[in-house]
Amino acid sequence: MNAGADVTSFQAVVLGIVQGLGEFLPISSSAHLVVTPWLLRWPDPGLAFDVALHLGTLAAVLYAFAGDWARMIFAAFRGLAHGKPGEGEGRLLWLIALASVPGAVAGLALEQAAETAFRSPLLIAATMAGVGTILLFADRQASSGEERRQVSVMDALLIGSAQALAIVPGVSRSGATISMALFLGYRREEAARFSFLLATPITLGAALHKVPHLLGTPNSHIVLLGIVVSAVVGLLAIRVLLAYVRTRDYRPFVYYRWAFAAMLVIVYLVRRTQG
């Protein structure tokens, strides 16, 4: 069966909304993309379809931070031309590239498990609750000062290593990277901003690996519909979260993760009882 072959247009829209919200809010888009079909008893569209929806959120983050990317890329090449690649805004581009390595390695090494064992509802419940608790403690470490923290090589490696854990649904790429950045003393808005920028290379790599196959199937128009919806909703989620964390903390997302995990366990046990 082709990945995503049994997905209807309505299901693609719903899953596109789920992806757009979950990718940037620290609630795990991958968990919701696995659990939503399971709860509604839809066919599992598979990991390749999930990755295709990431093209939409990739477009959203590129659009939202187009100015940042343009400045970083221009500064990086200007630095190379002058023999000073590690200075100015170009330095952040190299740090993002460095931070993307652990996630790329994890994605390639654990691809098979991500398509099978990692899609268990009980595992997702555990990771949703566990990372929610970590986010709660990390949020208490957030800097409240006005001085911006400069990303160091060690910071980039630690945040990138946290991103690698998001291969397991329920961990949440944004949840893991934001938590690590908060533990390191970044402000809430800084943590979210770096998390969003870091999403770009890893999402692009995953999409290039999986999406060409999907776009060559008879259901490609449904895949494209989901991508467009995830792009629009993802852009809204970026703007809402950045505005929210300027004055508020991450506790509502922690409470949501705990409630979601509890709901998963209850539904799982009820279905087991019913046979």
Side-chain angles (χ1 to χ4, degrees):
M1 183 183 72
N2 288 327
D6 293 329
V7 178
T8 67
S9 296
F10 175 73
Q11 291 167 356
V13 169
V14 171
L15 294 174
I17 293 171
V18 166
Q19 167 62 23
L21 290 174
E23 178 65 20
F24 300 113
L25 304 182
I27 58 173
S28 181
S29 63
S30 58
H32 285 74
L33 288 174
V34 172
V35 168
T36 299
W38 178 74
L39 285 174
L40 299 176
R41 300 186 186 277
W42 293 347
D44 184 351
L47 182 62
F49 184 79
D50 295 356
V51 173
L53 295 181
H54 282 67
L55 270 183
T57 45
L58 173 63
V61 76
L62 284 173
Y63 180 83
F65 295 100
D68 298 70
W69 281 110
R71 286 192 297 272
M72 285 190 292
I73 293 171
F74 179 77
F77 282 102
R78 183 175 57 190
L80 283 175
H82 291 84
K84 299 178 179 179
E87 294 185 2
E89 287 191 276
R91 179 175 180 274
L92 184 58
L93 183 69
W94 306 123
L95 290 175
I96 289 172
L98 176 65
S100 300
V101 172
V105 172
L108 291 173
L110 299 173
E111 180 181 4
Q112 187 61 39
E115 293 183 347
T116 54
F118 288 171
R119 297 173 78 84
S120 160
L122 286 184
L123 174 62
I124 292 172
T127 53
M128 285 290 286
V131 175
T133 304
I134 291 171
L135 180 59
L136 178 65
F137 286 108
D139 194 49
R140 296 175 180 174
Q141 306 301 315
S143 172
S144 57
E146 293 299 320
E147 184 177 350
R148 295 181 64 87
R149 179 184 173 100
Q150 185 176 15
V151 181
S152 68
V153 171
M154 183 56 68
D155 288 353
L157 285 172
L158 288 171
I159 296 171
S161 297
Q163 177 172 254
L165 299 175
I167 189 70
V168 182
V171 169
S172 169
R173 189 204 55 76
S174 60
T177 53
I178 286 172
S179 293
M180 180 59 76
L182 293 175
F183 274 127
L184 293 171
Y186 287 82
R187 294 181 298 164
R188 293 184 179 94
E189 185 182 359
E190 286 178 325
R193 196 173 192 86
F194 188 74
S195 171
F196 295 160
L197 290 171
L198 187 55
T200 308
I202 197 76
T203 305
L204 178 60
L208 290 176
H209 180 55
K210 288 284 187 181
V211 172
H213 165 70
L214 273 179
L215 294 181
T217 66
N219 256 22
S220 59
H221 64 289
I222 293 179
V223 176
L224 289 171
L225 175 62
I227 291 171
V228 170
V229 172
S230 70
V232 174
V233 176
L235 182 59
L236 291 174
I238 290 172
R239 291 178 172 172
V240 167
L241 185 64
L242 286 176
Y244 174 85
V245 296
R246 289 191 185 107
T247 56
R248 298 177 179 86
D249 60 30
Y250 285 98
R251 280 181 297 176
F253 303 106
V254 173
Y255 302 149
Y256 173 83
R257 292 178 72 103
W258 289 345
F260 189 85
M263 179 271 294
L264 275 184
V265 173
I266 291 170
V267 172
Y268 179 84
L269 292 176
V270 167
R271 289 187 177 179
R272 283 291 297 272
T273 302
Q274 293 174 341

